[in-house]
mmCIF file of all heavy atoms in Angstrom:
data_model
loop_
_atom_site.group_PDB
_atom_site.id
_atom_site.type_symbol
_atom_site.label_atom_id
_atom_site.label_comp_id
_atom_site.label_asym_id
_atom_site.label_seq_id
_atom_site.Cartn_x
_atom_site.Cartn_y
_atom_site.Cartn_z
ATOM 1 N N SER P 6 -55.764 192.455 19.255
ATOM 2 C CA SER P 6 -54.463 192.956 18.813
ATOM 3 C C SER P 6 -53.493 192.918 19.959
ATOM 4 O O SER P 6 -53.846 193.058 21.153
ATOM 5 C CB SER P 6 -54.684 194.379 18.331
ATOM 6 O OG SER P 6 -54.803 195.332 19.389
ATOM 7 N N PRO P 7 -52.190 192.800 19.696
ATOM 8 C CA PRO P 7 -51.188 192.841 20.685
ATOM 9 C C PRO P 7 -51.163 194.104 21.506
ATOM 10 O O PRO P 7 -50.785 194.045 22.710
ATOM 11 C CB PRO P 7 -49.865 192.592 19.875
ATOM 12 C CG PRO P 7 -50.243 191.956 18.644
ATOM 13 C CD PRO P 7 -51.643 192.484 18.334
ATOM 14 N N TYR P 8 -51.604 195.148 20.904
ATOM 15 C CA TYR P 8 -51.592 196.458 21.611
ATOM 16 C C TYR P 8 -52.445 196.415 22.833
ATOM 17 O O TYR P 8 -52.058 196.979 23.889
ATOM 18 C CB TYR P 8 -52.072 197.562 20.688
ATOM 19 C CG TYR P 8 -51.946 198.927 21.190
ATOM 20 C CD1 TYR P 8 -50.765 199.624 21.187
ATOM 21 C CD2 TYR P 8 -52.962 199.594 21.778
ATOM 22 C CE1 TYR P 8 -50.606 200.906 21.677
ATOM 23 C CE2 TYR P 8 -52.917 200.874 22.311
ATOM 24 C CZ TYR P 8 -51.688 201.494 22.228
ATOM 25 O OH TYR P 8 -51.536 202.827 22.763
ATOM 26 N N TRP P 9 -53.636 195.743 22.777
ATOM 27 C CA TRP P 9 -54.516 195.743 23.915
ATOM 28 C C TRP P 9 -54.432 194.440 24.731
ATOM 29 O O TRP P 9 -54.928 194.406 25.859
ATOM 30 C CB TRP P 9 -55.971 195.871 23.409
ATOM 31 C CG TRP P 9 -56.235 197.160 22.716
ATOM 32 C CD1 TRP P 9 -56.596 197.350 21.391
ATOM 33 C CD2 TRP P 9 -56.244 198.430 23.264
ATOM 34 N NE1 TRP P 9 -56.753 198.660 21.032
ATOM 35 C CE2 TRP P 9 -56.600 199.403 22.277
ATOM 36 C CE3 TRP P 9 -56.000 199.011 24.552
ATOM 37 C CZ2 TRP P 9 -56.645 200.787 22.447
ATOM 38 C CZ3 TRP P 9 -56.066 200.397 24.765
ATOM 39 C CH2 TRP P 9 -56.432 201.298 23.710
ATOM 40 N N GLY P 10 -53.807 193.392 24.148
ATOM 41 C CA GLY P 10 -53.929 192.086 24.776
ATOM 42 C C GLY P 10 -53.534 191.984 26.278
ATOM 43 O O GLY P 10 -54.257 191.468 27.091
ATOM 44 N N LYS P 11 -52.366 192.551 26.635
ATOM 45 C CA LYS P 11 -51.927 192.507 28.017
ATOM 46 C C LYS P 11 -52.858 193.181 28.954
ATOM 47 O O LYS P 11 -53.189 192.772 30.118
ATOM 48 C CB LYS P 11 -50.491 193.070 28.169
ATOM 49 C CG LYS P 11 -49.988 193.196 29.612
ATOM 50 C CD LYS P 11 -48.650 193.833 29.671
ATOM 51 C CE LYS P 11 -48.176 194.138 31.068
ATOM 52 N NZ LYS P 11 -48.050 192.919 31.886
ATOM 53 N N PHE P 12 -53.375 194.358 28.484
ATOM 54 C CA PHE P 12 -54.142 195.231 29.345
ATOM 55 C C PHE P 12 -55.556 194.735 29.550
ATOM 56 O O PHE P 12 -56.133 194.842 30.713
ATOM 57 C CB PHE P 12 -54.153 196.677 28.803
ATOM 58 C CG PHE P 12 -52.742 197.239 28.663
ATOM 59 C CD1 PHE P 12 -52.104 197.294 27.430
ATOM 60 C CD2 PHE P 12 -52.067 197.666 29.781
ATOM 61 C CE1 PHE P 12 -50.853 197.757 27.303
ATOM 62 C CE2 PHE P 12 -50.782 198.182 29.700
ATOM 63 C CZ PHE P 12 -50.161 198.220 28.458
ATOM 64 N N ILE P 13 -56.102 194.090 28.577
ATOM 65 C CA ILE P 13 -57.495 193.516 28.773
ATOM 66 C C ILE P 13 -57.406 192.322 29.678
ATOM 67 O O ILE P 13 -58.367 192.011 30.316
ATOM 68 C CB ILE P 13 -58.186 193.206 27.425
ATOM 69 C CG1 ILE P 13 -59.701 192.984 27.623
ATOM 70 C CG2 ILE P 13 -57.526 192.039 26.742
ATOM 71 C CD1 ILE P 13 -60.448 194.089 28.236
ATOM 72 N N ARG P 14 -56.256 191.670 29.752
ATOM 73 C CA ARG P 14 -56.106 190.537 30.684
ATOM 74 C C ARG P 14 -55.727 190.956 32.077
ATOM 75 O O ARG P 14 -56.244 190.373 33.044
ATOM 76 C CB ARG P 14 -54.990 189.589 30.152
ATOM 77 C CG ARG P 14 -55.375 188.835 28.868
ATOM 78 C CD ARG P 14 -54.380 187.698 28.611
ATOM 79 N NE ARG P 14 -52.946 188.123 28.646
ATOM 80 C CZ ARG P 14 -52.319 188.599 27.609
ATOM 81 N NH1 ARG P 14 -52.906 188.741 26.447
ATOM 82 N NH2 ARG P 14 -51.090 188.974 27.732
ATOM 83 N N GLU P 15 -54.879 192.043 32.222
ATOM 84 C CA GLU P 15 -54.285 192.300 33.512
ATOM 85 C C GLU P 15 -54.562 193.658 34.063
ATOM 86 O O GLU P 15 -54.282 193.977 35.269
ATOM 87 C CB GLU P 15 -52.821 192.138 33.381
ATOM 88 C CG GLU P 15 -52.400 190.761 32.941
ATOM 89 C CD GLU P 15 -50.862 190.591 32.850
ATOM 90 O OE1 GLU P 15 -50.159 191.465 33.379
ATOM 91 O OE2 GLU P 15 -50.451 189.617 32.208
ATOM 92 N N ARG P 16 -55.175 194.614 33.307
ATOM 93 C CA ARG P 16 -55.311 195.988 33.768
ATOM 94 C C ARG P 16 -56.766 196.529 33.506
ATOM 95 O O ARG P 16 -56.952 197.493 32.786
ATOM 96 C CB ARG P 16 -54.248 196.905 33.110
ATOM 97 C CG ARG P 16 -52.789 196.575 33.514
ATOM 98 C CD ARG P 16 -52.548 196.923 34.929
ATOM 99 N NE ARG P 16 -51.103 196.735 35.248
ATOM 100 C CZ ARG P 16 -50.579 195.569 35.705
ATOM 101 N NH1 ARG P 16 -51.376 194.507 35.875
ATOM 102 N NH2 ARG P 16 -49.334 195.438 35.939
ATOM 103 N N ARG P 17 -57.702 195.776 33.939
ATOM 104 C CA ARG P 17 -59.086 196.179 33.723
ATOM 105 C C ARG P 17 -59.535 197.072 34.872
ATOM 106 O O ARG P 17 -59.139 196.961 35.995
ATOM 107 C CB ARG P 17 -60.008 194.926 33.668
ATOM 108 C CG ARG P 17 -59.748 194.020 32.415
ATOM 109 C CD ARG P 17 -60.758 192.914 32.354
ATOM 110 N NE ARG P 17 -60.702 191.971 33.439
ATOM 111 C CZ ARG P 17 -60.003 190.849 33.408
ATOM 112 N NH1 ARG P 17 -59.290 190.496 32.395
ATOM 113 N NH2 ARG P 17 -60.060 190.039 34.467
ATOM 114 N N ALA P 18 -60.478 198.005 34.506
ATOM 115 C CA ALA P 18 -60.993 198.948 35.461
ATOM 116 C C ALA P 18 -62.473 199.231 35.214
ATOM 117 O O ALA P 18 -63.018 198.748 34.236
ATOM 118 C CB ALA P 18 -60.164 200.238 35.400
ATOM 119 N N VAL P 19 -63.079 200.001 36.129
ATOM 120 C CA VAL P 19 -64.517 200.266 36.009
ATOM 121 C C VAL P 19 -64.749 201.799 36.112
ATOM 122 O O VAL P 19 -64.221 202.457 37.039
ATOM 123 C CB VAL P 19 -65.262 199.580 37.181
ATOM 124 C CG1 VAL P 19 -66.783 199.945 37.138
ATOM 125 C CG2 VAL P 19 -65.063 198.056 37.095
ATOM 126 N N VAL P 20 -65.524 202.324 35.185
ATOM 127 C CA VAL P 20 -65.937 203.669 35.225
ATOM 128 C C VAL P 20 -67.355 203.686 35.739
ATOM 129 O O VAL P 20 -68.258 202.941 35.257
ATOM 130 C CB VAL P 20 -65.960 204.318 33.811
ATOM 131 C CG1 VAL P 20 -66.343 205.813 33.864
ATOM 132 C CG2 VAL P 20 -64.633 204.137 33.118
ATOM 133 N N VAL P 21 -67.601 204.565 36.747
ATOM 134 C CA VAL P 21 -68.981 204.780 37.223
ATOM 135 C C VAL P 21 -69.537 206.047 36.623
ATOM 136 O O VAL P 21 -68.885 207.100 36.588
ATOM 137 C CB VAL P 21 -68.978 204.940 38.822
ATOM 138 C CG1 VAL P 21 -70.443 205.061 39.300
ATOM 139 C CG2 VAL P 21 -68.283 203.838 39.478
ATOM 140 N N ALA P 22 -70.733 205.922 36.057
ATOM 141 C CA ALA P 22 -71.310 207.074 35.294
ATOM 142 C C ALA P 22 -72.826 207.165 35.537
ATOM 143 O O ALA P 22 -73.404 206.241 36.027
ATOM 144 C CB ALA P 22 -71.031 206.875 33.824
ATOM 145 N N THR P 23 -73.317 208.363 35.267
ATOM 146 C CA THR P 23 -74.765 208.552 35.316
ATOM 147 C C THR P 23 -75.350 208.924 33.914
ATOM 148 O O THR P 23 -76.522 209.083 33.777
ATOM 149 C CB THR P 23 -75.138 209.647 36.317
ATOM 150 O OG1 THR P 23 -74.357 210.884 36.073
ATOM 151 C CG2 THR P 23 -74.859 209.237 37.798
ATOM 152 N N ALA P 24 -74.430 209.076 32.929
ATOM 153 C CA ALA P 24 -74.840 209.297 31.577
ATOM 154 C C ALA P 24 -73.735 209.041 30.634
ATOM 155 O O ALA P 24 -72.522 209.187 31.020
ATOM 156 C CB ALA P 24 -75.476 210.682 31.375
ATOM 157 N N VAL P 25 -73.988 208.774 29.373
ATOM 158 C CA VAL P 25 -72.989 208.736 28.330
ATOM 159 C C VAL P 25 -73.505 209.538 27.138
ATOM 160 O O VAL P 25 -74.729 209.712 26.965
ATOM 161 C CB VAL P 25 -72.606 207.273 27.910
ATOM 162 C CG1 VAL P 25 -72.016 206.527 29.036
ATOM 163 C CG2 VAL P 25 -73.839 206.509 27.382
ATOM 164 N N GLY P 26 -72.602 209.864 26.253
ATOM 165 C CA GLY P 26 -72.928 210.589 25.044
ATOM 166 C C GLY P 26 -72.474 209.771 23.865
ATOM 167 O O GLY P 26 -71.304 209.342 23.787
ATOM 168 N N GLU P 27 -73.318 209.722 22.831
ATOM 169 C CA GLU P 27 -72.957 209.012 21.586
ATOM 170 C C GLU P 27 -73.419 209.853 20.431
ATOM 171 O O GLU P 27 -74.305 210.741 20.523
ATOM 172 C CB GLU P 27 -73.625 207.602 21.482
ATOM 173 C CG GLU P 27 -73.167 206.629 22.538
ATOM 174 C CD GLU P 27 -71.742 206.134 22.250
ATOM 175 O OE1 GLU P 27 -71.037 206.602 21.290
ATOM 176 O OE2 GLU P 27 -71.302 205.211 22.921
ATOM 177 N N SER P 28 -72.812 209.616 19.246
ATOM 178 C CA SER P 28 -73.106 210.488 18.032
ATOM 179 C C SER P 28 -73.180 209.486 16.795
ATOM 180 O O SER P 28 -72.591 208.447 16.762
ATOM 181 C CB SER P 28 -71.999 211.475 17.799
ATOM 182 O OG SER P 28 -71.864 212.326 18.915
ATOM 183 N N ASN P 29 -73.977 209.959 15.850
ATOM 184 C CA ASN P 29 -74.120 209.338 14.552
ATOM 185 C C ASN P 29 -74.075 210.400 13.472
ATOM 186 O O ASN P 29 -74.487 211.497 13.655
ATOM 187 C CB ASN P 29 -75.392 208.537 14.459
ATOM 188 C CG ASN P 29 -75.158 207.013 14.577
ATOM 189 O OD1 ASN P 29 -74.054 206.554 14.490
ATOM 190 N ND2 ASN P 29 -76.271 206.303 14.772
ATOM 191 N N PRO P 30 -73.541 210.055 12.320
ATOM 192 C CA PRO P 30 -73.513 210.977 11.199
ATOM 193 C C PRO P 30 -74.950 211.453 10.815
ATOM 194 O O PRO P 30 -75.891 210.636 10.866
ATOM 195 C CB PRO P 30 -72.907 210.159 10.070
ATOM 196 C CG PRO P 30 -72.150 209.091 10.695
ATOM 197 C CD PRO P 30 -72.863 208.745 11.940
ATOM 198 N N LEU P 31 -75.068 212.753 10.535
ATOM 199 C CA LEU P 31 -76.303 213.258 10.063
ATOM 200 C C LEU P 31 -76.033 214.375 9.059
ATOM 201 O O LEU P 31 -75.543 215.448 9.499
ATOM 202 C CB LEU P 31 -77.174 213.792 11.207
ATOM 203 C CG LEU P 31 -78.539 214.353 10.868
ATOM 204 C CD1 LEU P 31 -79.461 213.243 10.339
ATOM 205 C CD2 LEU P 31 -79.236 215.027 12.044
ATOM 206 N N GLY P 32 -76.315 214.117 7.784
ATOM 207 C CA GLY P 32 -75.976 215.150 6.764
ATOM 208 C C GLY P 32 -74.527 215.375 6.730
ATOM 209 O O GLY P 32 -73.665 214.415 6.696
ATOM 210 N N LYS P 33 -74.102 216.634 6.856
ATOM 211 C CA LYS P 33 -72.660 216.954 6.817
ATOM 212 C C LYS P 33 -72.104 217.024 8.246
ATOM 213 O O LYS P 33 -70.954 217.343 8.390
ATOM 214 C CB LYS P 33 -72.456 218.300 6.141
ATOM 215 C CG LYS P 33 -72.831 218.257 4.614
ATOM 216 C CD LYS P 33 -72.519 219.558 3.914
ATOM 217 C CE LYS P 33 -72.847 219.506 2.419
ATOM 218 N NZ LYS P 33 -72.528 220.832 1.735
ATOM 219 N N GLY P 34 -72.943 216.791 9.219
ATOM 220 C CA GLY P 34 -72.461 216.826 10.573
ATOM 221 C C GLY P 34 -72.823 215.589 11.376
ATOM 222 O O GLY P 34 -72.830 214.480 10.813
ATOM 223 N N LYS P 35 -73.133 215.766 12.618
ATOM 224 C CA LYS P 35 -73.467 214.617 13.498
ATOM 225 C C LYS P 35 -74.630 214.933 14.448
ATOM 226 O O LYS P 35 -74.804 216.160 14.756
ATOM 227 C CB LYS P 35 -72.243 214.267 14.396
ATOM 228 C CG LYS P 35 -71.067 213.594 13.653
ATOM 229 C CD LYS P 35 -70.068 213.137 14.667
ATOM 230 C CE LYS P 35 -68.925 212.381 13.933
ATOM 231 N NZ LYS P 35 -67.880 211.902 14.884
ATOM 232 N N ALA P 36 -75.400 213.975 14.688
ATOM 233 C CA ALA P 36 -76.448 214.115 15.702
ATOM 234 C C ALA P 36 -75.892 213.590 17.036
ATOM 235 O O ALA P 36 -75.324 212.492 17.019
ATOM 236 C CB ALA P 36 -77.619 213.301 15.364
ATOM 237 N N HIS P 37 -76.082 214.314 18.112
ATOM 238 C CA HIS P 37 -75.530 213.939 19.449
ATOM 239 C C HIS P 37 -76.676 213.475 20.324
ATOM 240 O O HIS P 37 -77.676 214.134 20.434
ATOM 241 C CB HIS P 37 -74.834 215.145 20.024
ATOM 242 C CG HIS P 37 -73.713 215.663 19.165
ATOM 243 N ND1 HIS P 37 -72.558 214.984 18.914
ATOM 244 C CD2 HIS P 37 -73.588 216.890 18.586
ATOM 245 C CE1 HIS P 37 -71.760 215.695 18.146
ATOM 246 N NE2 HIS P 37 -72.372 216.843 17.913
ATOM 247 N N TYR P 38 -76.429 212.380 21.050
ATOM 248 C CA TYR P 38 -77.440 211.752 21.839
ATOM 249 C C TYR P 38 -76.973 211.591 23.295
ATOM 250 O O TYR P 38 -75.909 210.970 23.461
ATOM 251 C CB TYR P 38 -77.927 210.413 21.301
ATOM 252 C CG TYR P 38 -78.473 210.444 19.868
ATOM 253 C CD1 TYR P 38 -77.609 210.124 18.795
ATOM 254 C CD2 TYR P 38 -79.712 210.834 19.684
ATOM 255 C CE1 TYR P 38 -78.091 210.176 17.553
ATOM 256 C CE2 TYR P 38 -80.225 210.921 18.329
ATOM 257 C CZ TYR P 38 -79.427 210.594 17.344
ATOM 258 O OH TYR P 38 -79.862 210.572 15.976
ATOM 259 N N LEU P 39 -77.688 212.238 24.235
ATOM 260 C CA LEU P 39 -77.360 212.058 25.644
ATOM 261 C C LEU P 39 -78.153 210.863 26.162
ATOM 262 O O LEU P 39 -79.407 210.872 26.027
ATOM 263 C CB LEU P 39 -77.630 213.337 26.457
ATOM 264 C CG LEU P 39 -77.164 213.320 27.879
ATOM 265 C CD1 LEU P 39 -75.682 213.261 27.986
ATOM 266 C CD2 LEU P 39 -77.691 214.626 28.572
ATOM 267 N N MET P 40 -77.543 209.890 26.740
ATOM 268 C CA MET P 40 -78.171 208.652 27.146
ATOM 269 C C MET P 40 -78.129 208.534 28.706
ATOM 270 O O MET P 40 -76.979 208.346 29.225
ATOM 271 C CB MET P 40 -77.543 207.454 26.445
ATOM 272 C CG MET P 40 -77.352 207.659 24.995
ATOM 273 S SD MET P 40 -76.646 206.257 24.061
ATOM 274 C CE MET P 40 -77.943 205.116 24.084
ATOM 275 N N LYS P 41 -79.244 208.588 29.356
ATOM 276 C CA LYS P 41 -79.310 208.494 30.797
ATOM 277 C C LYS P 41 -80.153 207.275 31.189
ATOM 278 O O LYS P 41 -81.279 207.036 30.624
ATOM 279 C CB LYS P 41 -79.894 209.772 31.395
ATOM 280 C CG LYS P 41 -79.123 211.045 31.084
ATOM 281 C CD LYS P 41 -79.822 212.214 31.796
ATOM 282 C CE LYS P 41 -79.055 213.517 31.600
ATOM 283 N NZ LYS P 41 -79.720 214.622 32.323
ATOM 284 N N PRO P 42 -79.692 206.513 32.192
ATOM 285 C CA PRO P 42 -80.540 205.432 32.686
ATOM 286 C C PRO P 42 -81.845 206.001 33.283
ATOM 287 O O PRO P 42 -81.780 207.061 33.976
ATOM 288 C CB PRO P 42 -79.664 204.766 33.695
ATOM 289 C CG PRO P 42 -78.630 205.768 34.116
ATOM 290 C CD PRO P 42 -78.423 206.607 32.904
ATOM 291 N N THR P 43 -82.906 205.329 33.091
ATOM 292 C CA THR P 43 -84.173 205.776 33.702
ATOM 293 C C THR P 43 -84.109 205.622 35.205
ATOM 294 O O THR P 43 -84.935 206.302 35.934
ATOM 295 C CB THR P 43 -85.405 204.998 33.118
ATOM 296 O OG1 THR P 43 -85.163 203.619 33.324
ATOM 297 C CG2 THR P 43 -85.505 205.308 31.649
ATOM 298 N N SER P 44 -83.276 204.798 35.716
ATOM 299 C CA SER P 44 -83.117 204.653 37.170
ATOM 300 C C SER P 44 -81.684 204.094 37.385
ATOM 301 O O SER P 44 -81.166 203.347 36.535
ATOM 302 C CB SER P 44 -84.103 203.744 37.781
ATOM 303 O OG SER P 44 -84.030 202.417 37.333
ATOM 304 N N GLY P 45 -81.077 204.482 38.448
ATOM 305 C CA GLY P 45 -79.808 203.964 38.781
ATOM 306 C C GLY P 45 -78.681 204.589 38.031
ATOM 307 O O GLY P 45 -78.824 205.594 37.340
ATOM 308 N N ALA P 46 -77.489 204.007 38.164
ATOM 309 C CA ALA P 46 -76.254 204.520 37.502
ATOM 310 C C ALA P 46 -75.721 203.446 36.578
ATOM 311 O O ALA P 46 -76.376 202.413 36.370
ATOM 312 C CB ALA P 46 -75.219 204.926 38.553
ATOM 313 N N LEU P 47 -74.533 203.696 36.008
ATOM 314 C CA LEU P 47 -73.893 202.810 35.005
ATOM 315 C C LEU P 47 -72.557 202.396 35.429
ATOM 316 O O LEU P 47 -71.828 203.201 36.061
ATOM 317 C CB LEU P 47 -73.855 203.529 33.658
ATOM 318 C CG LEU P 47 -75.099 204.112 33.059
ATOM 319 C CD1 LEU P 47 -74.689 205.039 31.892
ATOM 320 C CD2 LEU P 47 -76.025 203.040 32.627
ATOM 321 N N LEU P 48 -72.098 201.162 34.915
ATOM 322 C CA LEU P 48 -70.786 200.748 35.114
ATOM 323 C C LEU P 48 -70.209 200.409 33.669
ATOM 324 O O LEU P 48 -70.895 199.753 32.890
ATOM 325 C CB LEU P 48 -70.685 199.480 35.953
ATOM 326 C CG LEU P 48 -71.175 199.594 37.425
ATOM 327 C CD1 LEU P 48 -71.153 198.338 38.091
ATOM 328 C CD2 LEU P 48 -70.401 200.684 38.132
ATOM 329 N N ILE P 49 -69.007 200.923 33.379
ATOM 330 C CA ILE P 49 -68.464 200.739 32.073
ATOM 331 C C ILE P 49 -67.068 200.240 32.207
ATOM 332 O O ILE P 49 -66.285 200.673 33.001
ATOM 333 C CB ILE P 49 -68.418 202.120 31.312
ATOM 334 C CG1 ILE P 49 -69.792 202.755 31.208
ATOM 335 C CG2 ILE P 49 -67.938 201.906 29.844
ATOM 336 C CD1 ILE P 49 -69.755 204.137 30.727
ATOM 337 N N GLY P 50 -66.743 199.195 31.367
ATOM 338 C CA GLY P 50 -65.374 198.613 31.438
ATOM 339 C C GLY P 50 -64.374 199.507 30.797
ATOM 340 O O GLY P 50 -64.620 200.190 29.766
#
């Protein structure tokens, strides 16, 4: 999309992390999952 086009080409960055959190629907709510690497850290665009 034009909204992201310039920035994905010219303004990329890196997040350093040791865990992320993700969720999925479960019943009327959500299940939350903490995701940690078994070793090392993470890099996210």
Side-chain angles (χ1 to χ4, degrees):
S6 75
Y8 187 80
W9 298 113
K11 172 182 173 62
F12 301 101
I13 194 60
R14 292 194 307 272
E15 301 180 16
R16 296 289 185 271
R17 295 187 294 266
V19 177
V20 183
V21 184
T23 52
V25 296
E27 294 287 5
S28 302
N29 256 346
L31 182 66
K33 295 182 179 180
K35 288 186 176 182
H37 303 294
Y38 301 98
L39 188 63
M40 312 181 75
K41 296 182 178 182
T43 57
S44 63
L47 306 167
L48 302 176
I49 306 170

